[in-house]
């Protein structure tokens, strides 16, 4: 009935798999847990091979890095059952009935999106940017608010999808680098009129990136956004804002400010008390600069 599918890269997810397997045993239905490794470093692979010793669990090692979209599609092709539960490897179980909540709703929609939690206290000053950003946005992502825009709010961290819906709307494999693969899939689900239900069934984000890593990933995601801007249209905040700035002839002004203040802003964002306002400006400035350089 249920295939639990977990892509991983340079992360040990043995505890997550163990916790899921214990819950799955209580469901009294057929299940499997497949973990696909996207060519991690050897130290991570050695630890994750322990997964093969857990009943109904399999650890699959890819020989080359294929990216966040393709690895999920590979898992979907390998899955045996009719419902796929995709989870990120750095999630942590919060509730003892996490899987049972999904099972109880299998007939309610083709896609059921769970939620994400972050620690109540900041784990370290080194992660202040990602932590502050996520905690500030948390109130916007209740199930009730996500249901107002079910396709735009789709995220791949924690969701269940029927086999038929996944075959109709797989992840877009043209996205090889970090960012926007879930936004692209949300658009595909909307175009196919696939039913989507958002619920408050959380996993804990247990790997909040350090500031430098998060800023680097943000820049990578903006490069991904630029490459796929035609497919994404104006469904993201950065592209909508960029369109407004173009119509108001303000791109040059933003570029000038960004280039003058880039180093000062980066120091703030990499520090202990990052400003979310500066972070928002940095993103649109980075995108404007990228668009200018690539024209």
């Amino acid at each position: 009935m249920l295939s639990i599918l977990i892509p991983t890269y340079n992360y040990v997810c043995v505890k997550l798999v163990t916790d899921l397997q214990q819950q799955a045993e209580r469901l009294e239905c057929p299940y499997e847990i497949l973990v696909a490794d996207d060519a991690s470093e050897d130290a991570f692979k050695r630890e994750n091979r322990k997964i093969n010793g857990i009943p109904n669990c399999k650890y699959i090692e890819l020989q080359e890095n294929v990216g966040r979209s393709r690895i999920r599609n590979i898992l979907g092709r390998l899955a045996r059952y009719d419902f796929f539960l995709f989870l990120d490897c750095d999630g942590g179980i919060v509730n003892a009935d996490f899987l049972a909540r999904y099972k109880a709703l299998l007939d309610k929609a083709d896609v059921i999106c769970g939620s994400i939690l972050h620690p109540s206290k900041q784990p370290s000053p080194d992660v202040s940017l990602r932590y502050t950003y996520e905690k500030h946005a948390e109130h916007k992502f209740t199930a009730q608010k996500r249901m107002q825009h079910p396709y735009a709010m789709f995220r791949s961290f924690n969701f269940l999808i029927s086999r038929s819906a996944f075959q109709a709307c797989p992840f877009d494999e043209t996205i090889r680098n970090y960012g926007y693969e879930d936004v692209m899939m949300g658009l595909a689900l909307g175009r196919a009129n696939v039913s989507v239900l958002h619920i408050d069934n959380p996993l804990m984000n247990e790997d909040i990136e350090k500031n430098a890593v998060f800023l680097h990933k943000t820049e990578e995601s903006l490069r991904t956004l630029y490459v796929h801007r035609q497919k994404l249209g104006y469904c993201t905040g950065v592209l909508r804002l960029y369109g407004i700035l173009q119509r108001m002839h303000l791109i040059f002004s933003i570029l000038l400010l960004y280039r003058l203040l880039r180093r000062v802003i980066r120091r703030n964002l990499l520090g202990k008390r990052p400003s979310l306002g500066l972070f928002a400006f940095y993103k649109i400035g980075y995108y404007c600069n990228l668009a200018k350089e690539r024209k």
Side-chain angles (χ1 to χ4, degrees):
M1 174 184 282
L2 182 63
S3 294
I4 301 172
L5 308 176
I6 305 171
T8 187
Y9 176 70
N10 283 350
Y11 194 84
V12 177
C13 54
V14 177
K15 185 179 187 307
L16 173 62
V17 172
T18 301
D19 291 345
L20 288 166
Q21 192 270 343
Q22 291 173 355
Q23 286 198 22
E25 282 293 312
R26 298 196 295 271
L27 292 180
E28 298 181 348
C29 71
Y31 75 92
E32 64 179 349
I33 302 176
L34 304 182
V35 179
D37 189 295
D38 203 7
S40 295
E41 296 172 8
D42 287 343
F44 296 97
K45 290 191 286 191
R46 282 195 297 270
E47 287 298 310
N48 280 328
R49 285 172 187 147
K50 296 174 183 176
I51 291 168
N52 287 320
I54 303 173
N56 296 320
C57 299
K58 185 177 182 180
Y59 177 63
I60 303 153
E61 299 181 40
L62 304 187
Q63 298 307 306
E64 62 174 332
N65 186 277
V66 299
R68 295 164 59 89
S69 293
R70 188 177 173 196
I71 196 169
R72 287 173 168 84
N73 289 343
I74 289 171
L75 281 165
R77 289 193 292 270
L78 294 173
R80 289 188 292 166
Y81 298 116
D82 290 332
F83 295 95
F84 304 164
L85 178 59
F86 280 95
L87 306 174
D88 276 11
C89 62
D90 55 355
I93 297 297
V94 177
N95 297 312
D97 61 348
F98 174 73
L99 293 183
R101 292 185 187 187
Y102 273 122
K103 183 186 176 186
L105 296 170
L106 287 180
D107 61 344
K108 301 300 182 183
D110 290 313
V111 177
I112 305 173
C113 297
S115 49
I116 180 171
L117 283 181
H118 297 84
S120 57
K121 293 184 179 180
Q122 182 174 295
S124 161
D126 294 337
V127 302
S128 56
L129 179 58
R130 178 69 186 268
Y131 183 81
T132 303
Y133 176 77
E134 296 291 357
K135 292 300 285 187
H136 182 263
E138 226 171 45
H139 72 281
K140 302 176 184 177
F141 292 94
T142 64
Q144 183 179 13
K145 291 186 177 179
R146 283 182 281 134
M147 278 302 296
Q148 294 174 8
H149 306 282
Y151 301 111
M153 291 295 188
F154 173 83
R155 295 294 179 267
S156 59
F157 183 79
N158 167 20
F159 76 100
L160 184 140
I161 186 169
S162 68
R163 176 184 292 275
S164 59
F166 188 76
Q167 290 174 341
C169 302
F171 283 93
D172 187 332
E173 294 188 14
T174 64
I175 299 182
R176 291 294 307 272
N177 297 316
Y178 179 83
Y180 292 97
E181 71 279 352
D182 46 4
V183 178
M184 200 80 82
M185 188 168 184
L187 287 173
L189 294 170
R191 287 193 296 267
N193 201 29
V194 173
S195 58
V196 175
L197 173 66
H198 288 268
I199 64 173
D200 285 320
N201 191 22
L203 279 184
M204 179 69 70
N205 182 358
E206 296 193 336
D207 187 34
I208 301 175
E209 300 99 336
K210 291 184 178 180
N211 293 351
V213 174
F214 182 53
L215 192 56
H216 173 77
K217 290 173 75 172
T218 298
E219 293 169 348
E220 185 178 0
S221 73
L222 290 168
R223 294 192 293 272
T224 298
L225 178 62
Y226 181 79
V227 170
H228 297 279
R229 64 193 183 281
Q230 299 299 331
K231 291 183 181 179
L232 290 165
Y234 287 104
C235 68
T236 72
V238 170
L239 289 181
R240 286 194 297 271
L241 179 55
Y242 184 77
I244 292 170
L245 294 173
Q246 279 186 313
R247 290 193 295 273
M248 298 180 68
H249 306 287
L250 291 174
I251 297 293
F252 177 78
S253 299
I254 296 297
L255 268 175
L256 180 62
L257 282 173
Y258 171 77
R259 290 172 178 175
L260 284 172
L261 300 174
R262 174 168 45 193
R263 292 183 180 180
V264 174
I265 294 173
R266 283 183 63 88
R267 280 200 296 271
N268 172 268
L269 298 180
L270 296 174
K272 295 181 180 180
R273 295 179 178 83
S275 163
L276 294 183
L278 289 179
F279 185 46
F281 177 80
Y282 185 85
K283 287 192 290 185
I284 189 60
Y286 186 95
Y287 187 86
C288 289
N289 192 60
L290 182 67
K292 179 69 173 178
E293 289 179 346
R294 295 197 178 182
K295 281 185 177 178

